[in-house]
Amino acid sequence: MSDDDLWESIDRIEDRLASAQPSRPPQEALLLRMLKLSEEVGEVAEAVIGATGQNPRKGVSHTWDDVQSELCDVIITAAVALRTLTPEAREVFAMHLARVTDRSLDPGA
């Protein structure tokens, strides 16, 4: 999947979610989209706990493939939230990633 395909998919998902939700004031819809990200992060935690068997009552209830899937859901949800916030999500993300990459790879940082 190319970068263009990725962001076209994010645009389509965001459009579908926006049309399927009840009518809300824009700021409320945006805040709810941001809260969805917290829910997805919680599902990553649940999957890690399940993959490591940390809950004695449940034992090993998830796999590391489940963790991977949940992490992908976090990335998709974050991208959709960013797209909800700005139609220039692709450009905003590319610029931010470039800054983080430069900072992370700078040996003096």
Side-chain angles (χ1 to χ4, degrees):
M1 174 178 275
S2 73
D3 184 58
D4 287 340
D5 292 339
L6 168 79
W7 287 103
E8 286 172 16
S9 294
I10 296 302
D11 287 344
R12 289 176 45 221
I13 292 168
E14 197 277 332
D15 289 344
R16 172 71 174 104
L17 290 171
S19 68
Q21 297 296 312
S23 180
R24 291 187 166 89
Q27 187 169 8
E28 181 180 337
L30 177 61
L31 293 173
L32 290 170
R33 190 65 45 83
M34 301 301 156
L35 286 175
K36 179 66 176 167
L37 186 55
S38 294
E39 177 187 15
E40 294 297 339
V41 170
E43 291 176 10
V44 171
E46 179 181 7
V48 169
I49 289 167
T52 58
Q54 291 302 301
N55 183 336
R57 186 175 47 81
K58 293 182 180 179
V60 176
S61 59
H62 291 75
T63 67
W64 288 105
D65 285 343
D66 294 328
V67 176
Q68 290 176 17
S69 293
E70 296 300 344
L71 286 168
C72 289
D73 286 349
V74 169
I75 293 166
I76 293 165
T77 302
V80 170
L82 181 60
R83 174 59 183 84
T84 302
L85 185 60
T86 177
E88 289 85 31
R90 175 192 316 228
E91 295 80 11
V92 169
F93 181 77
M95 288 187 319
H96 188 78
L97 179 59
R99 285 192 306 268
V100 170
T101 300
D102 290 344
R103 183 179 66 227
S104 299
L105 299 178
D106 180 4

